[in-house]
């Protein structure tokens, strides 16, 4: 789970802001946009899950957020969690659930959060 930022960038185009310098070729604005998009996707995906799977998903989200804090700083974790809150507070469009769930499950697998 080390060096999470490059992996997230590859999966989501960009990830979140931090006090650290982003990898070469990336901008802080791009990282912010990526983390925001990732949080929105996660919020949508969790709403698409069956009720029985939601507690495990919430635990995985907390684990992911703690990784963000450790590797990218509190600003990145806040950006992700704020976007997650926004993504999970809106009425979802079920036609996009299959895609959101596929992206969610890939994120969980890629970062070993599905244990």
């Amino acid at each position: 789970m080390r060096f999470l930022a490059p992996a997230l960038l590859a999966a989501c185009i960009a990830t979140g802001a931090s006090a650290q310098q982003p990898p070469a070729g990336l901008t802080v604005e791009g990282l912010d946009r990526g983390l925001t998009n990732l949080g929105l996707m996660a919020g949508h995906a969790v709403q698409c899950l069956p009720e029985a799977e939601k507690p495990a998903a919430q635990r995985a989200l907390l684990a992911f957020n703690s990784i963000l804090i450790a590797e990218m700083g509190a600003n990145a974790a806040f950006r992700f969690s704020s976007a997650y809150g926004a993504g999970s507070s809106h009425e979802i469009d079920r036609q996009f659930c299959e895609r959101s769930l596929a992206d969610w499950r890939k994120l969980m697998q890629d970062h070993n959060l599905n244990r």
Side-chain angles (χ1 to χ4, degrees), residues 39-52:
L40 290 168
M41 177 277 301
H44 185 268
V46 169
Q47 286 191 77
C48 292
L49 289 171
E51 286 300 317

Side-chain angles (χ1 to χ4, degrees), residues 30-106:
L31 292 171
D32 283 346
R33 240 185 345 271
L35 264 184
T36 298
N37 291 338
L38 185 63
L40 290 168
M41 177 277 301
H44 185 268
V46 169
Q47 286 191 77
C48 292
L49 289 171
E51 286 300 317
E53 293 181 36
K54 287 183 181 181
Q58 291 168 343
R59 286 190 300 275
L61 282 164
L62 288 173
F64 183 74
N65 211 43
S66 68
I67 291 168
L68 284 175
I69 290 170
E71 293 194 16
M72 297 178 71
N75 287 342
F78 179 77
R79 172 77 65 190
F80 172 77
S81 61
S82 296
Y84 170 79
S88 63
S89 65
H90 295 289
E91 189 68 31
I92 61 168
D93 186 345
R94 295 256 174 220
Q95 73 178 4
F96 297 108
C97 279
E98 186 176 322
R99 173 63 192 256
S100 291
L101 288 171
D103 290 345
W104 167 258
R105 289 184 174 119
K106 180 171 177 16

Side-chain angles (χ1 to χ4, degrees), residues 1-2 4 7-8 11-12 38 41-42 45 49 56-57 60-61 63-64 67 100-115:
M1 286 191 271
R2 299 199 53 101
L4 178 62
L8 284 175
C12 302
L38 185 63
M41 177 277 301
L49 289 171
L61 282 164
F64 183 74
I67 291 168
S100 291
L101 288 171
D103 290 345
W104 167 258
R105 289 184 174 119
K106 180 171 177 16
L107 178 72
M108 295 300 99
Q109 180 181 359
D110 288 352
H111 300 290
N112 199 26
L113 298 172
N114 53 355
R115 44 194 156 121

